[in-house]
Amino acid sequence: MEFFQRFAIPHPSPAIYASMVAIALVSIGIVVGLTYFKKWGYLWREWLTTVDHKKIGIMYLLSALLMLFRGGADAIMMRAQLATPDAKLLDAQHYNEIFTTHGVVMILFMAMPFIFAFFNLIVPLQIGARDVAFPRLNALSFWLFFVGAMLFNISFVIGGSPDAGWTSYFPLAGNDFSTSVGTNYYMLAIQISGIGSLMTGINFCTTIIKMRAPGMTLMKMPMFTWSAFIANIIVVFAFPVLTVALIMGTADRLFGANFFTTSNGGMDMLWANFFWVWGHPEVYILILPAFGLYSEIISTFSGRNLFGYRAMVWSMILISLLSFLVWTHHFFTMGQGALTNSIFSITTMAIAVPTGVKIFNWLFTMWKGKIRFTTPMLYSIGFIPLFTIGGATGVMLGMSAADYQYHNTMFLVAHFHNTIIPGVVFAMLAGLTYYWPKFFGFMLNEKIGKLTFWLLTIGFVLAFFPMYLSGLDGQARRMYTYSEATGFGPLNMLSFVGAALMALAFLAIVYNIYYSYKNSPRNIGSDPWDARSLEWATHTPIPEYNFARLPQVSSSQAFWDAKKKGHELFKGEIKDIHMPNNSGVPFVMSCIFFVAGFSFVFALWVPAVIALIGVFVCMALRSFEQDHGYHIHAKEVKETEAKYGKVLNNEDRSRATSRV
Amino acid sequence: MKIKLLFLLSIMTSVIFLSGCEPLLVFDPKGPQAERQASDIILSIGIMSVIVIVVMVILAYILIKYRASNQPDNYEPPHIEGNHLVEAICVGIPVLIVAYLSLVSVQSNYIVESAPVGYEEQEPLVVYASSSDWKWHFSYPEQGIETVNYLYVPTDRPLEFKLYSYGPITSFWIPQLGGQKYAMSDMVTTLHLAADEPGEMLGRNANFSGKGFAENTFNVTAMSQADFDDWVKEVHETAEPLTETEFQELLEPGHLGQMTYTGTHLEFSPAPEHNHSTTNESEVEYTDHSSHDQNQTNEENEHSAH
């Protein structure tokens, strides 16, 4: 009996039971559906074992969208609870678990896979490569992320969710104050997916350094690739810190190690320092690729090259360096004295300069352009003023003496949502709309897309701007309730209305995908937006090998120059193309990781040890394996190319694009 | 774009009306530290608003002027690599702004970290403020009294709060007197405040500390020195002394109302103020309290860590 008690939820509620039933029904539905339609073989061959960067990117995209809804449901519950004073919708414990889950899911299991999706989908195409440097490692990265996310997501039905905030400050997150297994889930789920992220970082740094098309020097890389390059360098430097911190935290919770628990000589603020040494660069891992996407989109829809390319690159390099020098601004109030606060205050505010350079460069990219107001462009235009406000409040927070008044209040919550939503989420949705035709062969509906944008923007402003005021009026973050006397009621109600509008916007995205799948025309050509960089130079749908002949590049907008100046991108003969073999090992190994993680959460040592042995067996097998990949022969490539109809020449391309 | 700007403006104004006529707590300072912080905030809002407005105006202008529907079909946007003058301005002005704000920020740091301006000459009233799940204990060593969940302070005298915690990290915050600082279980932090005028104020723990966090508040009353002295005298006449058993019971997780005691818990459960310069002293401290079993283990471990 005791065995089962360990898996019981410590604070059950009807909502959780309903979710349990829903999860069970959906799982049964999926299994039955796959069996009925005899799709198990297809699923295994085409998806579970794939090493194709495009398919892995699509799986990242789907997971990110799924997690967006998971985290969004949490957000709506929180705003509903706070909409009125003294509300009884959620109790304190449930609320704490929800905001913790919301933070972790949105940052690590929504935003991260979303940007990884774009790394996978775009980077190899933009640099004219056939795949990433380590395709099989790439598959392992995805599956590790995925099982990490799943491990985290089952916490609320088996054993209880983490409840110490997404920052999990010790000693609150220690065994003394956080008694359920929730924080164990936090430590292990993030650890497993974090290993995947670190491998992605290594993989893409290598890809970008080693696999660029002939002629593409670093300063001729498209801006998104630049942003991906720098973000992945940050990943490689920041994630090991998280790995170590999580190992220490796990040791504290499972083995009584006392690194962070103060009762036995540990240091609670050591966790906070580790967490933010990773956590602050993490926000730039998210925002820099978003900047890259905006650069591509603004340039395309202004019909102009990017203004100040070099300044854009250098500002990103500067931001990446500064991002490692500001972590203390997350706890100016720790009592480290005026000198330390002054140093970190200055480095924090300094980030505004390179970021400002980027804002102005986007503005001047539109200058003298020919601006088309498509859905991706609307997101990019909406981003500029909203992100400027978010950045401006960031500078305000950077003034450490004033930060004593903002710290831990709704003002801070408003600030970081004001940067992350217009910064990252808008960019992801813009990128989703922009690249959708390249990967799925049809365009998303523009009318629904624009409606979504307006719903999201209005909802965002309503949801988060009131928080600046309630923060300055003394509302601390993470309060599950407040009394009527505080006067926070009307502002929070406004936030709830905004959150509801945002929820509608996200539903509209799903509807748009469904509607466009049914109704959009399929003959859109390979370059529906009249774009500028190499990813649009290949066919739609993209052949397995991306490019039959590797492109010859002489500028950062090679495809545009090919279209307008008649540069010849693809020269020479079609030759045999070497491709990697599919492998089931990454998937299997990740499933074993899941078992190991779950066993560690509940301190089930026998299965944990067996699973860890399984992981090592997978690695050993790989080291003895002879896998040289395979060749697609030139003849086959030519046949495939012929199937796309005539290889489009420049005139055909411009005719194809004039339809839009 | 115009619509959006109008929309933003209308939201901001309606929100201000909705929030009533009373000023936001942070903009209603009752002491020099909070005043300095409020003026920093207003200064930064002003400067930042200018930047935001400039960006919005440039954006609106460009969008209107260079929209595709405003141009002939055969218009080909030019290829422009960059412009040194424009780029110099885009770097130069932000650098100047950040430099100015840094200067103000550094000055303010030293101001809020030392005795409040205008109160440098006076001896501060030292109050040990410690948190436990989910309440605040205020010890007045000078007066020999201790309160739970409420704080009486004299006006026109500097206040020196010594902050620490009997559990998770908390943050001691009285918005109208000045910004917050962490209270942690393994060290003592110091917060300098002062109250200029009598009145009732809100204080709370601002750092999430578990289930009872939302109600982790305390009342602050500022009063004249004479009233404060009367209160102290009254406490000594009416309140019971704080015993160690009773204090241990108070530390149990849960919410409590306001309570008043004579004596402070510092006598049997001192604050974690480590004196690194002389190891002897801390050893003496340790033997002094060796009779208190529960604290002994804690202290022993704390000392061994240093």
Side-chain angles (χ1 to χ4, degrees):
Chain A
M1 201 57 216
E2 201 205 331
F3 183 76
F4 289 105
Q5 271 170 5
R6 298 168 77 182
F7 302 106
I9 319 155
H11 312 281
S13 82
I16 292 178
Y17 287 131
S19 314
M20 270 169 137
V21 174
I23 292 171
L25 288 179
V26 170
S27 310
I28 293 170
I30 291 172
V31 171
V32 169
L34 284 171
T35 315
Y36 182 79
F37 293 106
K38 298 199 174 65
K39 289 288 185 192
W40 284 105
Y42 165 79
L43 186 68
W44 176 259
R45 280 190 307 276
E46 297 294 320
W47 297 97
L48 300 186
T49 61
T50 189
V51 292
D52 183 346
H53 70 95
K54 300 179 281 292
K55 285 184 175 163
I56 290 173
I58 287 169
M59 291 194 289
Y60 268 122
L61 201 63
L62 290 177
S63 323
L65 285 173
L66 195 68
M67 288 296 111
L68 179 71
F69 281 90
R70 167 74 217 268
D74 290 333
I76 274 287
M77 284 195 275
M78 279 192 279
R79 291 325 314 172
Q81 163 67 19
L82 287 183
T84 51
D86 300 313
K88 297 279 183 291
L89 194 65
L90 302 170
D91 60 28
Q93 177 64 28
H94 200 175
Y95 186 83
N96 297 348
E97 292 182 13
I98 284 176
F99 73 66
T100 304
T101 310
H102 171 74
V104 175
V105 164
M106 285 305 204
I107 296 287
L108 287 155
F109 301 128
M110 187 283 285
M112 283 293 272
F114 227 137
I115 63 156
F116 285 1
F118 287 110
F119 290 168
N120 271 287
L121 294 172
I122 313 302
V123 168
L125 291 168
Q126 265 196 346
I127 61 173
R130 296 214 163 99
D131 207 328
V132 295
F134 311 113
R136 190 157 155 175
L137 189 71
N138 199 22
L140 183 59
S141 297
F142 169 75
W143 288 111
L144 282 179
F145 145 72
F146 188 76
V147 300
M150 290 302 113
L151 185 63
F152 191 81
N153 271 278
I154 60 166
S155 66
F156 82 111
V157 287
I158 307 174
S161 285
D163 57 0
W166 90 281
T167 51
S168 271
Y169 273 18
F170 281 82
L172 181 65
N175 287 328
D176 293 349
F177 300 101
S178 199
T179 47
S180 79
V181 294
T183 306
N184 296 357
Y185 270 114
Y186 173 97
M187 297 282 161
L188 286 147
I190 297 178
Q191 183 70 280
I192 291 171
S193 68
I195 296 169
S197 305
L198 181 56
M199 294 191 307
T200 301
I202 295 166
N203 206 343
F204 277 88
C205 284
T206 317
T207 306
I208 295 169
I209 292 170
K210 299 290 285 182
M211 296 180 68
R212 277 168 288 135
M216 187 183 279
T217 58
L218 282 178
M219 277 299 176
K220 284 181 181 134
M221 289 199 303
M223 196 49 69
F224 179 72
T225 301
W226 253 116
S227 69
F229 186 38
I230 292 171
N232 280 299
I233 291 174
I234 304 179
V235 167
V236 171
F237 280 92
F239 267 77
V241 181
L242 180 68
T243 306
V244 170
L246 288 172
I247 289 174
M248 291 164 83
T250 310
D252 266 18
R253 285 192 61 90
L254 292 177
F255 309 117
N258 294 309
F259 286 113
F260 307 125
T261 47
T262 46
S263 58
N264 252 324
M267 286 182 275
D268 46 5
M269 287 311 288
L270 181 62
W271 167 268
N273 276 279
F274 276 154
F275 184 86
W276 288 115
V277 167
W278 161 79
H280 198 85
E282 166 69 16
V283 304
Y284 291 94
I285 295 171
L286 301 179
I287 199 77
L288 290 179
F291 286 173
L293 283 173
Y294 285 131
S295 301
E296 300 292 342
I297 290 167
I298 289 175
S299 171
T300 294
F301 294 111
S302 306
R304 262 210 51 204
N305 66 314
L306 201 60
F307 184 92
Y309 175 92
R310 276 172 178 278
M312 292 293 246
V313 171
W314 281 109
S315 65
M316 283 198 292
I317 294 171
L318 201 59
I319 289 173
S320 73
L321 295 175
L322 284 171
S323 75
F324 282 94
L325 300 175
V326 299
W327 78 91
T328 301
H329 73 213
H330 295 272
F331 36 86
F332 275 144
T333 57
M334 191 188 75
Q336 64 266 54
L339 178 65
T340 309
N341 277 359
S342 298
I343 291 167
F344 283 94
S345 175
I346 293 168
T347 53
T348 300
M349 285 192 273
I351 292 189
V353 176
T355 314
V357 168
K358 300 187 82 69
I359 297 272
F360 284 110
N361 279 342
W362 287 314
L363 286 174
F364 292 121
T365 299
M366 291 189 267
W367 181 58
K368 290 200 173 172
K370 194 173 182 181
I371 302 167
R372 288 177 283 159
F373 294 95
T374 59
T375 308
M377 188 62 173
L378 278 185
Y379 281 113
S380 314
I381 293 168
F383 151 78
I384 290 176
L386 291 177
F387 187 80
T388 308
I389 296 172
T393 55
V395 173
M396 290 169 66
L397 281 156
M399 298 183 69
S400 43
D403 181 67
Y404 285 18
Q405 290 284 25
Y406 308 125
H407 187 64
N408 271 327
T409 70
M410 295 308 274
F411 189 95
L412 173 81
V413 176
H415 157 73
F416 69 74
H417 284 91
N418 200 347
T419 52
I420 289 180
I421 291 177
V424 182
V425 179
F426 276 29
M428 297 303 128
L429 297 179
L432 182 81
T433 324
Y434 184 58
Y435 284 113
W436 189 272
K438 191 80 229 166
F439 291 94
F440 298 96
F442 61 92
M443 314 254 302
L444 291 176
N445 185 281
E446 279 286 286
K447 259 198 188 134
I448 307 175
K450 285 176 184 170
L451 177 75
T452 309
F453 164 77
W454 285 110
L455 274 176
L456 192 60
T457 306
I458 295 167
F460 165 76
V461 170
L462 276 178
F464 292 100
F465 281 30
M467 292 181 194
Y468 284 121
L469 298 172
S470 65
L472 290 172
D473 203 21
Q475 188 183 357
R477 69 197 286 209
R478 295 170 171 173
M479 284 163 53
Y480 88 104
T481 192
Y482 52 90
S483 70
E484 183 139 28
T486 55
F488 303 148
L491 291 169
N492 281 291
M493 179 51 91
L494 213 56
S495 286
F496 174 66
V497 173
L501 284 180
M502 291 176 78
L504 279 181
F506 289 119
L507 290 177
I509 292 168
V510 178
Y511 178 70
N512 195 356
I513 292 174
Y514 169 77
Y515 179 88
S516 310
Y517 174 73
K518 287 268 176 205
N519 299 311
S520 284
R522 294 303 195 267
N523 54 338
I524 50 164
S526 61
D527 178 27
W529 303 113
D530 195 14
R532 311 176 77 86
S533 46
L534 276 181
E535 67 269 32
W536 303 96
T538 181
H539 311 288
T540 300
I542 309 163
E544 195 190 350
Y545 45 78
N546 293 353
F547 300 98
R549 287 163 295 183
L550 289 184
Q552 312 281 322
V553 175
S554 54
S555 77
S556 68
Q557 34 179 5
F559 182 48
W560 183 258
D561 291 345
K563 282 194 286 189
K564 299 289 159 176
K565 296 185 195 160
H567 287 186
E568 202 182 337
L569 271 180
F570 302 105
K571 290 178 202 161
E573 276 291 292
I574 290 178
K575 295 191 187 113
D576 288 0
I577 294 173
H578 181 249
M579 298 297 289
N581 281 322
N582 281 3
S583 169
V585 175
F587 178 71
V588 171
M589 192 167 159
S590 301
C591 291
I592 300 173
F593 256 107
F594 181 88
V595 174
F598 186 82
S599 311
F600 268 103
V601 168
F602 288 95
L604 305 167
W605 303 120
V606 177
V609 170
I610 295 174
L612 284 183
I613 291 171
V615 168
F616 284 109
V617 167
C618 288
M619 286 155 79
L621 281 179
R622 173 60 173 155
S623 67
F624 290 111
E625 198 180 351
Q626 299 274 338
D627 181 1
H628 300 296
Y630 68 102
H631 281 91
I632 306 176
H633 295 291
K635 200 174 137 230
E636 208 182 318
V637 175
K638 280 178 194 152
E639 279 165 13
T640 316
E641 291 290 302
K643 255 189 266 167
Y644 286 104
K646 55 191 185 302
V647 177
L648 295 178
N649 60 32
N650 292 334
E651 281 91 318
D652 289 330
R653 278 215 187 83
S654 42
R655 223 178 299 139
T657 54
S658 62
R659 277 202 306 272
V660 180
Chain B
M1 207 51 225
K2 267 182 188 163
I3 302 169
K4 198 155 91 196
L5 274 176
L6 272 177
F7 187 77
L8 279 176
L9 276 176
S10 62
I11 285 176
M12 292 312 287
T13 39
S14 60
V15 158
I16 287 160
F17 279 116
L18 276 171
S19 60
C21 303
E22 283 180 30
L24 303 171
L25 281 190
V26 165
F27 294 133
D28 187 19
K30 305 281 187 214
Q33 306 294 51
E35 243 164 60
R36 175 75 191 191
Q37 284 159 338
S39 76
D40 274 12
I41 292 171
I42 287 166
L43 172 81
S44 60
I45 289 178
I47 294 176
M48 289 299 127
S49 307
V50 172
I51 294 172
V52 170
I53 289 166
V54 166
V55 168
M56 284 186 178
V57 167
I58 298 176
L59 179 68
Y61 171 79
I62 288 177
L63 289 182
I64 292 164
K65 180 141 189 228
Y66 296 108
R67 66 188 195 274
S69 57
N70 196 31
Q71 284 160 332
D73 275 349
N74 60 357
Y75 175 70
E76 279 284 335
H79 183 93
I80 307 169
E81 289 283 340
N83 181 319
H84 288 300
L85 181 69
V86 172
E87 286 175 68
I89 293 171
C90 294
V91 177
I93 293 177
V95 166
L96 289 178
I97 293 172
V98 165
Y100 174 66
L101 287 177
S102 297
L103 195 73
V104 176
S105 176
V106 171
Q107 279 179 336
S108 299
N109 280 338
Y110 283 90
I111 288 170
V112 299
E113 283 295 328
S114 49
V117 181
Y119 293 86
E120 295 88 344
E121 300 303 312
Q122 295 182 54
E123 185 68 18
L125 172 72
V126 176
V127 181
Y128 282 76
S130 54
S131 63
S132 66
D133 282 346
W134 292 275
K135 47 205 138 358
W136 285 94
H137 310 265
F138 299 104
S139 314
Y140 297 76
E142 189 189 328
Q143 284 74 18
I145 56 182
E146 176 151 330
T147 65
V148 176
N149 286 338
Y150 78 99
L151 181 62
Y152 277 9
V153 291
T155 53
D156 303 317
R157 183 176 172 188
L159 308 167
E160 195 176 309
F161 289 96
K162 299 283 186 187
L163 311 169
Y164 58 101
S165 157
Y166 284 93
I169 300 170
T170 52
S171 194
F172 176 88
W173 187 29
I174 308 169
Q176 287 178 284
L177 288 190
Q180 59 194 289
K181 198 166 267 184
Y182 282 178
M184 293 162 282
S185 58
D186 52 352
M187 61 181 119
V188 171
T189 47
T190 306
L191 184 63
H192 300 273
L193 299 176
D196 284 337
E197 47 186 293
E200 297 261 333
M201 282 163 285
L202 168 93
R204 69 162 296 120
N205 162 25
N207 195 58
F208 176 60
S209 62
K211 227 190 286 184
F213 166 67
E215 295 95 359
N216 199 179
T217 58
F218 55 92
N219 297 317
V220 185
T221 313
M223 57 188 73
S224 67
Q225 183 70 46
D227 286 347
F228 182 76
D229 292 339
D230 288 346
W231 171 69
V232 171
K233 212 171 7 167
E234 194 193 315
V235 169
H236 276 287
E237 282 161 9
T238 56
E240 297 289 316
L242 178 66
T243 64
E244 198 187 343
T245 354
E246 185 145 17
F247 182 67
Q248 292 301 338
E249 277 167 28
L250 293 179
L251 289 184
E252 294 294 314
H255 293 291
L256 293 172
Q258 304 191 346
M259 296 178 167
T260 317
Y261 299 94
T262 55
T264 69
H265 72 258
L266 300 169
E267 292 145 25
F268 46 80
S269 176
E273 285 172 298
H274 301 302
N275 193 338
H276 295 272
S277 54
T278 49
T279 23
N280 280 344
E281 246 182 53
S282 52
E283 271 166 22
V284 168
E285 196 182 37
Y286 154 56
T287 43
D288 271 351
H289 303 288
S290 57
S291 56
H292 308 299
D293 291 336
Q294 200 167 1
N295 292 316
Q296 189 195 341
T297 33
N298 282 347
E299 276 184 14
E300 200 169 42
N301 292 319
E302 268 165 26
H303 288 304
S304 65
H306 292 273

